[in-house]
Amino acid sequence: MRLRQARAEVVAAALELLRSGLVRGTAGNVSVRPDGGDLVAMTPTGVNYRRLDPADVSVVGLDGRLVEGLAPSSELPMHLAVYGARADVGAVVHTHSVFATTLAVLGEELPGVHYVLAHAGRRVRVAPYAAYGSETLARGCVETLERDWAVLLANHGVIAVGTHLGAAMGVAEAVEYTAELYWRARQVGTPVVLADEEMDRVAAAFRGYGQPGKPPLT
């Protein structure tokens, strides 16, 4: 039952990424690891998200073997690498959102110019460029991510992670929002970067934010 729900969540998230403009076409992917288990539900490769059915969603083992559904996204190695390195991660969202990817193309990290970025960390660092779908890209992503919740992939896009899918989606949105603010502020002046201590304070406050009984953002 939980796996069926996870596949439906993946479809809903893919459609929301399209609606929000965080992805265009099939340029992005989503995965969920239900209950921290050994199976992952992931968007399949080359399928129009508007036509995606939960039964199409790929179900793979942590070893990469296909269990159900269509063939998974070519970025499966990167998703599995994150799950392998971070037991606290229950979902991964990969986007090519315009403003954050602009920084990735420039090879520039996203600094903490707005407190909302604390959902991702003090800043969002840039992983070295490697070909999409490669083990090298997967390794660089994990090494740069460390204990943060987002990373920029040089000349590629964004990886956002969370304890659950809603959290990972929220991190992706926070990264793109802050990247756009940062880009716009740079057009007229020099953005002021918040101190690490303030970003840490806000991150701690975020962990207790929300309605009782509901999961926190991360």
Side-chain angles (χ1 to χ4, degrees):
M1 180 65 74
R2 185 66 184 91
L3 189 58
R4 184 186 309 167
Q5 179 184 344
R7 295 171 93 176
E9 289 175 354
V10 166
V11 172
L15 291 173
E16 179 57 30
L17 289 172
L18 279 178
R19 283 192 293 266
S20 66
L22 291 178
V23 304
R24 299 179 184 181
T26 60
N29 33 78
V30 177
S31 71
V32 176
R33 176 172 58 174
D35 303 320
D38 57 2
L39 292 177
V40 172
M42 185 178 193
T43 45
T45 186
V47 176
N48 187 323
Y49 292 156
R50 294 183 179 89
R51 299 176 183 172
L52 188 60
D53 185 88
D56 298 329
V57 171
S58 311
V59 176
V60 299
L62 294 179
D63 58 0
R65 62 187 173 84
L66 180 64
V67 176
E68 292 182 31
L70 302 178
S73 166
S74 59
E75 296 295 8
L76 176 64
M78 184 161 54
H79 288 242
L80 294 182
V82 172
Y83 292 128
R86 295 277 298 272
D88 58 335
V89 169
V92 177
V93 173
H94 173 42
T95 79
H96 295 175
S97 56
V98 174
F99 288 94
T101 301
T102 297
L103 292 177
V105 168
L106 292 170
E108 296 185 16
E109 70 175 29
L110 174 59
V113 295
H114 193 285
Y115 68 84
V116 74
L117 193 67
H119 285 306
R122 293 175 173 176
R123 61 190 60 79
V124 183
R125 292 169 292 181
V126 186
Y129 176 78
Y132 77 90
S134 67
E135 295 291 345
T136 303
L137 177 62
R139 184 166 55 253
C141 170
V142 167
E143 290 175 352
T144 305
L145 180 65
E146 294 183 344
R147 304 308 300 175
D148 289 337
W149 300 96
V151 65
L152 301 180
L153 306 174
N155 302 89
H156 187 156
V158 183
I159 286 287
V161 306
T163 57
H164 56 94
L165 186 51
M169 293 284 285
V171 171
E173 292 165 359
V175 169
E176 180 63 4
Y177 173 75
T178 308
E180 181 174 358
L181 283 179
Y182 182 55
W183 182 87
R184 292 184 182 279
R186 281 176 51 167
Q187 308 314 300
V188 294
T190 302
V192 175
V193 179
L194 295 172
D196 287 348
E197 293 76 14
E198 176 60 12
M199 295 298 283
D200 291 344
R201 187 194 69 78
V202 174
F206 280 161
R207 285 193 285 274
Y209 179 78
Q211 297 294 324
K214 299 293 184 181
L217 180 59
T218 54

